[in-house]
Amino acid sequence: MSIGAKSGAARLDEAAQASEALSLDAFIGYNLKRAYILVQEDFRRALAGEGLSARTFSALAIVMQYPDITQAEVARLLGVDRSGMVAITDDLQARGYLIRRPDASDRRVQALAPTEAGRLVFERTRDKVQAHEQKLFAHFSAEEQQTLLALLRKIRNGQMEEEA
Amino acid sequence: MSIGAKSGAARLDEAAQASEALSLDAFIGYNLKRAYILVQEDFRRALAGEGLSARTFSALAIVMQYPDITQAEVARLLGVDRSGMVAITDDLQARGYLIRRPDASDRRVQALAPTEAGRLVFERTRDKVQAHEQKLFAHFSAEEQQTLLALLRKIRNGQMEEEA
DNA sequence: TATTGTTATACTCTATAACTATA
DNA sequence: TATAGTTATAGAGTATAACAATA
C-alpha cells in the first residue's frame, strides 16, 4: 500500500515532525484558502435548493440594500468586472427576482430593482445562510466569531488604504 | 451621472445606514471570500516571476516536506482530486523541480521527489511568499496574525471532526 | 474623453467519469 | 474489490478587449 515498510500515515507524521519549517500551515494565505473552500462548499450546500450561487446571492443582497443601483455600481461593490454582471443580472431577472428599469435622467444606465419575489427569496436564503453559518461556526464562541469577522474585514481595510 | 439628484456615493452611504441589517458584511463567509481574493491576488503578484501558481507552489511544498510521497497522498493533503494532480506534477516535472520515481514495492505508484533545482526554487519562493505575507499583514500586530491563523485553522478542525 | 451595458472570447481551476495496471 | 495514475471532458467563475449609445 505505501512506499516503504511503514504505513502512509506513520510516515507522514514522522516527516512532519522532521520538517516543521517547510509546512504550508505556517502561511496565513494557505489557511485562508483552505478555510474559504470549506465555507464556500458549505454555502453551496445551504443554497442548493434555491438555485442561487454565491455571486447571485451577493448581487441580490446588494440590490436589496441599494434599490435602483446600477450594474456598474454593484460590480464595484462586489469587486468584480462589469462584464460579469450581465450574466448575473440576466439570471436574477430570468428568475423574476429583479427588473432592469431604464433611467430617464441617464439613458445609458438601467437601474436594478428587486421584485416582491426577489425580496422573499432573498430573505429566505439570507436566513438559510445565517443558520448554516451558525452551524458551521458552532464550535466558535461568540467572541471568536466577532474576532474572526473583525480580522477578515481588517485585511480588506489595509488593502483599500493602500489603493487610496 | 447618477440616478437621482445625489451623487452615487452619497446615495450609497445613505442607503447603507438605512438598511444595515441587509448587509453582506455581516456574513463571515462573504468577508472570508473577499479577504481570500485579495490575499490570493497578492500571492499571485509575489510569485509572478517564478512561474509558480498557488497550487504548484503548494504541491511543491508538500513534496519538499514529504519526499517520495505519492500523487494521491499529495491530493489528499491538499484536498483536491487525484486527477488534478497530473497536470500539476507534469508542470513541476517539466520545469525540472521534481521527478517521478517508480516504486519497486508497488508498481502502481510513482514517488515524487524534489530535484536540487526544485529545492532551490522552493526555498526562494517560500521566502518571497513570507516576505509578501509580512507586507500584506504589516498593519496587523504579531498577536493579531497569530489569532487569525489560529481561527482559520479552527475552521478546518471543526470540519474535520465532523467528517471523522 | 469617459462611462454603461453588452458580447465574444479565453483562461484558470476544479470535478466527474471512465480506463489500465496493479494490489 | 480497491487503489494509483491517467485522460477526456465539462462546468463555474473571472478577466480582457472591443463595440454602440450616451454623457
Side-chain angles (χ1 to χ4, degrees):
Chain A
M1 160 147 200
S2 82
I3 293 167
K6 290 159 194 150
S7 80
R11 195 165 44 77
L12 292 185
D13 282 354
E14 206 171 83
Q17 287 177 353
S19 54
E20 193 69 33
L22 301 174
S23 178
L24 287 172
D25 281 324
F27 291 105
I28 293 178
Y30 179 72
N31 286 280
L32 191 60
K33 179 174 188 172
R34 297 299 298 264
Y36 164 66
I37 290 170
L38 280 179
V39 173
Q40 183 248 38
E41 280 172 358
D42 216 68
F43 183 97
R44 202 182 290 270
R45 253 173 273 136
L47 262 57
E50 302 290 349
L52 289 183
S53 64
R55 60 197 207 136
T56 48
F57 172 77
S58 299
L60 182 57
I62 298 283
V63 172
M64 287 293 299
Q65 193 173 4
Y66 307 112
D68 287 332
I69 194 172
T70 68
Q71 281 189 44
E73 280 171 326
V74 175
R76 271 191 292 270
L77 287 174
L78 292 179
V80 299
D81 194 85
R82 263 181 309 142
S83 64
M85 281 304 302
V86 178
I88 297 172
T89 307
D90 285 351
D91 184 78
L92 287 169
Q93 189 171 33
R95 293 173 192 278
Y97 297 159
L98 59 74
I99 54 169
R100 284 173 161 101
R101 182 187 293 164
D103 178 13
S105 73
D106 185 342
R107 280 155 54 208
R108 289 174 305 181
V109 317
Q110 302 200 70
L112 303 182
T115 62
E116 191 52 33
R119 225 174 283 277
L120 288 172
V121 86
F122 170 69
E123 279 159 19
R124 178 152 35 90
T125 52
R126 182 200 53 197
D127 292 348
K128 272 197 181 183
V129 172
Q130 268 172 344
H132 230 265
E133 218 164 72
Q134 277 184 347
K135 211 172 127 194
L136 192 57
F137 292 96
H139 59 306
F140 281 62
S141 70
E143 196 193 339
E144 283 175 327
Q145 292 185 29
Q146 284 310 306
T147 304
L148 176 58
L149 209 42
L151 289 171
L152 292 174
R153 287 199 188 111
K154 188 166 182 171
I155 294 176
R156 238 201 306 168
N157 290 343
Q159 244 1 57
M160 291 196 303
E161 279 164 25
E162 211 165 282
E163 282 168 19
Chain B
M1 157 144 198
S2 80
I3 293 166
K6 288 161 196 150
S7 81
R11 195 166 45 76
L12 292 185
D13 282 353
E14 205 171 83
Q17 287 176 353
S19 53
E20 193 69 33
L22 301 174
S23 178
L24 287 173
D25 282 322
F27 291 104
I28 294 178
Y30 179 72
N31 286 280
L32 191 60
K33 178 175 188 172
R34 296 300 298 265
Y36 164 66
I37 290 170
L38 281 179
V39 173
Q40 183 249 37
E41 281 171 357
D42 217 67
F43 183 97
R44 200 182 293 269
R45 252 174 274 135
L47 262 56
E50 301 290 348
L52 290 183
S53 65
R55 57 196 208 135
T56 49
F57 172 77
S58 299
L60 182 57
I62 298 283
V63 173
M64 287 293 299
Q65 192 172 4
Y66 308 111
D68 286 331
I69 194 171
T70 68
Q71 281 189 44
E73 281 172 327
V74 176
R76 272 192 292 270
L77 286 175
L78 292 179
V80 299
D81 194 85
R82 263 182 311 143
S83 64
M85 281 303 303
V86 179
I88 297 172
T89 306
D90 285 351
D91 184 79
L92 287 169
Q93 188 170 35
R95 294 175 192 276
Y97 297 158
L98 59 74
I99 55 167
R100 284 173 161 100
R101 182 186 295 164
D103 177 12
S105 73
D106 184 343
R107 279 152 57 207
R108 289 174 304 180
V109 317
Q110 303 200 72
L112 303 182
T115 62
E116 191 50 35
R119 226 174 281 277
L120 288 172
V121 86
F122 170 69
E123 278 160 20
R124 179 152 33 92
T125 52
R126 182 200 54 196
D127 292 348
K128 272 196 180 182
V129 172
Q130 268 172 344
H132 229 266
E133 217 164 74
Q134 278 184 347
K135 210 172 129 195
L136 191 57
F137 292 96
H139 59 307
F140 281 62
S141 71
E143 196 193 338
E144 283 175 327
Q145 293 185 29
Q146 284 310 308
T147 303
L148 177 57
L149 209 42
L151 290 171
L152 291 175
R153 289 200 188 110
K154 188 166 182 171
I155 295 175
R156 241 205 299 171
N157 290 342
Q159 253 346 68
M160 291 195 303
E161 280 164 26
E162 211 165 284
E163 281 167 20

